[in-house]
Amino acid sequence: MDNIDAPNEPVVTSYAKAPASTITAGGVSYAYRELGPKGGIPVLFFVHLAATLDNWDPRIIDPIARNRHVITFDQPGVGASTGQVPDSIEAMADDAYTFIQALGFDTIDVFSFSLGGMVAQDLVIKHPDLVRKLVLTGTGPRGGKDIDKVVGTTYRDILRATLTRSDPKEFLFFNRNATGKPAAKVFIKRLQERTENRDKPISTRAFQTQLKAIQKFGRSAPSDLSILTQPALISNGDNDRMVPSVLSEDLHHRIKASELIIYPDSGHGGIFQYHATFAPAVVEFLAP
């Protein structure tokens, strides 16, 4: 395995080859992967509902890792991380902060998707000096309209996927039309590019606890996002059935220094369907 600390070894910029590591903090062993050149401000990736380290699209990560130190991680109770999944988004943000502190970073950039975007919002509100730039994709604000309906949508699509022997993400992330169906298939294939040291799948119990946390987040009083001063890039597809697309517009209005990209004819996974245009936009946004 490549060791990115060794001076004579090439820097790993392929997520499929990123070394798997663990670090212990607060009694939890956090599983994580890192790639890209070390030094400077790292980009931490906050993943979606039911996801592990294996659920990041390499077509998004690899372009960022060409010039940036990228870190993906499993929250407690998820994948190869030990501990328990908490039943609130705030507690997930506290766990993320514990992990970041253990790695010794005092400034980070954040790339977040879906549930990860909810965790990232709570993290930046509580620790505003920690985050330099914020990418919020496929997500919405605390108390956002219909976020609490994610639970019903998720279970319905899992059932539909089971009946057709498909991956639930094909239904949850993509439109079921002539554009969405092939985009879904190639996305699922990309997630299989890593063949060694794959992560453990999430347990049903952990997944159900995450759903409860999302429901609670959706039914909570809104956070005051007007206090955020960080540049933010917000993106989604125009037909997100999981976290309605209007919530991305809502975030854009609430966060002053934000820009919004909405992709046409796409759903929750719009950034993956449009990775060829989205990845360069993110690289440019996250530039020092």
Side-chain angles (χ1 to χ4, degrees):
M1 184 181 292
D2 291 328
N3 178 352
I4 58 178
D5 289 320
N8 299 323
E9 292 286 344
V11 172
V12 177
T13 55
S14 163
Y15 192 55
K17 306 287 185 195
S21 305
T22 58
I23 192 167
T24 301
V28 171
S29 174
Y30 289 84
Y32 69 101
R33 294 176 191 161
E34 55 186 337
L35 64 160
K38 289 191 175 177
I41 296 168
V43 185
L44 264 84
F45 278 66
F46 289 68
V47 80
H48 63 84
L49 169 72
T52 68
L53 296 171
D54 289 332
N55 287 98
W56 281 116
D57 188 344
R59 298 301 179 278
I60 302 286
I61 290 202
D62 293 1
I64 296 171
R66 271 181 215 128
N67 295 301
R68 296 292 299 275
H69 183 190
V70 166
I71 299 169
T72 63
F73 71 106
D74 281 331
Q75 290 271 9
V78 175
S81 288
T82 63
Q84 299 293 319
V85 174
D87 65 356
S88 76
I89 303 293
E90 301 101 311
M92 292 178 190
D94 290 342
D95 288 335
Y97 186 70
T98 299
F99 170 70
I100 293 159
Q101 291 292 100
L103 290 177
F105 298 117
D106 53 16
T107 308
I108 62 168
D109 284 343
V110 165
F111 185 108
S112 63
F113 175 59
S114 196
L115 164 64
M118 300 171 195
V119 177
Q121 288 171 62
D122 276 2
L123 176 72
V124 74
I125 284 166
K126 206 164 186 179
H127 305 282
D129 296 335
L130 176 67
V131 178
R132 184 190 70 122
K133 290 186 178 182
L134 185 60
V135 180
L136 297 165
T137 65
T139 194
R142 178 178 288 280
K145 182 172 162 46
D146 293 339
I147 283 182
D148 59 342
K149 292 182 182 169
V150 166
V151 179
T153 304
T154 301
Y155 280 128
R156 276 193 301 278
D157 279 0
I158 286 173
L159 178 62
R160 288 166 72 197
T162 304
L163 294 173
T164 56
R165 296 185 177 177
S166 310
D167 188 303
K169 289 185 286 298
E170 291 188 37
F171 291 85
L172 288 163
F173 286 14
F174 298 88
N175 289 338
R176 304 300 292 161
N177 62 16
T179 315
K181 285 182 182 179
K185 295 284 184 200
V186 293
F187 168 69
I188 300 300
K189 259 191 190 154
R190 294 199 298 269
L191 299 186
Q192 306 301 320
E193 287 177 3
R194 184 185 183 93
T195 53
E196 294 177 15
N197 287 325
R198 287 184 66 85
D199 204 358
K200 294 178 186 170
I202 193 166
S203 71
T204 302
R205 186 177 173 190
F207 166 64
Q208 289 170 338
T209 307
Q210 286 183 336
L211 279 172
K212 278 182 199 153
I214 292 172
Q215 196 168 49
K216 202 185 286 185
F217 181 86
R219 292 173 180 172
S220 298
S223 302
D224 181 10
L225 297 176
S226 71
I227 64 170
L228 301 189
T229 56
Q230 289 84 354
L233 176 63
I234 300 162
S235 186
N236 205 343
D238 64 352
N239 182 39
D240 187 341
R241 294 168 46 255
M242 283 196 81
V243 185
S245 305
V246 292
L247 294 176
S248 291
E249 292 173 29
D250 189 356
L251 280 174
H252 177 47
H253 293 310
R254 294 191 200 202
I255 302 173
K256 289 176 199 142
S258 66
E259 54 184 291
L260 177 66
I261 302 173
I262 298 290
Y263 289 106
D265 191 22
S266 57
H268 191 57
I271 63 165
F272 307 125
Q273 185 171 323
Y274 284 89
H275 65 84
T277 46
F278 177 68
V282 173
V283 167
E284 187 180 342
F285 171 76
L286 290 175

